[in-house]
Amino acid sequence: MEVIIQRDYQQMSKTAAQIVVEVLNTKPNAVLGMATGSTPLGLYQELVRLHTEEQLDFSRVTTFNLDEYVGLPVNHPQSYHYFMHEHFFRHVDIPRNNINIPSGTTSNYPAFCQWYEKRIEECGGIDLQILGIGSDGHIAFNEPGSSLSSRTRLKTLSKQTIDDNARFFDRRADVPVYAITMGVGTILDAHKLVLVASGSSKAKAVAQAVEGPVTSMVTASALQLHRDAIVIVDEAAAASLTMREYYEFIYAAKPAAPRA
Ligand code: GLP
């Protein structure tokens, strides 16, 4: 696992965007795994800027989103469909048919989940999966206790996640209790992983994920099992890392390291 510590949120976002650019330069028809949450917003803004100002081409890209709330229609302002459209898809040139987001309103979840897994496979797998991290250490909606081999499925949200995400809803009671989410196993199948984390509220989860034991209680710790996982954090999110100097030494010594 590579750990990159950046001075602030903006640098974290730019460094993550550079990794997306490198993937697209190597493979213009790459399959990108997309994440929601407030953390990747800066990364999406930077990608939109690169598209608008520097002609970064998404016209051959295919995307798969990690997750979606169960019960929210696509036009609900808190649905991940809406989020992705607002913050990214409507600003770039990804063909509509190449955009895949789990359905939060299907009548048959098991069949949909199977179809989603098959569709990822048919597209050749995910080249680069973008990830955030929940304050309880989850990736996508793989809450503590999720099998590290899990595939796309329905998941009940933890109390911590419902509390964290309540800020986006009018009332806590409005936060959906279930989500459809790629599994940890699905995520680990991606060829490359980039996890972004910002702010002191993520420091503990980041330290557990990067330096703690691999455990289903912190599903982000599964990144330790991946051959090409990069964790990009700002100063505040790096605060509890014990090997910080070592990560900085490695990054500084790496000639080809992406520097925004
Ligand atoms: C949700 C999403 C995760 C995301 C997490 C953190 O639980 N399912 O993919 O990583 O929120 O979100 P934020 O970046 O807003 O802290």
Side-chain angles (χ1 to χ4, degrees):
M1 184 187 299
E2 182 180 1
V3 181
I4 302 176
I5 301 166
Q6 299 285 264
R7 67 171 178 271
D8 56 22
Y9 177 76
Q10 203 190 359
Q11 283 306 117
M12 177 206 78
S13 303
K14 285 191 170 185
T15 302
Q18 278 312 309
I19 293 170
V20 178
V21 170
E22 281 167 25
V23 168
L24 292 182
N25 284 343
T26 317
K27 189 176 176 188
N29 62 343
V31 177
L32 300 180
M34 314 304 286
T36 51
S38 45
T39 314
L41 277 175
L43 158 61
Y44 295 147
Q45 271 162 21
E46 176 62 5
L47 291 177
V48 169
R49 189 193 69 75
L50 289 167
H51 172 69
T52 317
E53 294 175 14
E54 298 180 26
Q55 290 77 49
L56 180 62
D57 182 21
F58 289 93
S59 64
R60 296 173 60 199
V61 164
T62 296
T63 64
F64 284 91
N65 261 80
L66 285 170
D67 47 12
E68 177 59 287
Y69 287 117
V70 163
L72 298 193
V74 295
N75 59 354
H76 188 289
Q78 296 311 329
S79 77
Y80 287 169
H81 276 78
Y82 188 90
F83 175 101
M84 287 308 301
H85 181 74
E86 267 315 287
H87 296 292
F88 189 55
F89 294 140
R90 78 184 174 94
H91 306 284
V92 295
D93 57 346
I94 302 172
R96 183 171 278 265
N97 287 341
N98 291 7
I99 295 172
N100 300 280
I101 306 179
S103 167
T105 53
T106 174
S107 55
N108 187 340
Y109 282 97
F112 182 86
C113 293
Q114 259 187 11
W115 174 83
Y116 203 69
E117 288 277 336
K118 200 164 136 262
R119 180 98 190 100
I120 294 173
E121 221 178 286
E122 281 166 3
C123 292
I126 293 171
D127 292 296
L128 171 66
Q129 177 64 59
I130 297 161
L131 296 164
I133 185 169
S135 63
D136 61 3
H138 72 227
I139 44 175
F141 270 129
N142 292 288
E143 298 288 27
S146 294
S147 161
L148 301 186
S149 318
S150 49
R151 311 303 304 188
T152 304
R153 69 211 184 290
L154 270 188
K155 195 73 203 163
T156 309
L157 303 189
S158 70
K159 183 182 171 302
Q160 175 74 58
T161 298
I162 293 174
D163 287 345
D164 287 349
N165 293 353
R167 69 188 191 277
F168 299 114
F169 292 81
D170 291 339
R171 294 169 309 162
R172 188 183 185 280
D174 294 341
V175 185
V177 175
Y178 301 101
I180 181 167
T181 180
M182 275 189 209
V184 182
T186 320
I187 293 167
L188 290 179
D189 282 350
H191 302 148
K192 190 181 192 80
L193 305 177
V194 171
L195 184 146
V196 283
S198 164
S200 55
S201 64
K202 299 293 174 68
K204 185 170 165 236
V206 166
Q208 286 178 324
V210 173
E211 296 178 340
V214 174
T215 167
S216 63
M217 295 310 287
V218 179
T219 52
S221 67
L223 267 67
Q224 295 177 35
L225 302 170
H226 196 277
R227 272 188 272 188
D228 190 359
I230 306 172
V231 174
I232 310 175
V233 292
D234 64 9
E235 292 278 351
S240 301
L241 290 170
T242 58
M243 298 286 283
R244 181 192 169 130
E245 276 179 30
Y246 180 60
Y247 308 135
E248 286 178 331
F249 176 69
I250 294 171
Y251 186 59
K254 191 179 165 193
R259 284 201 181 79

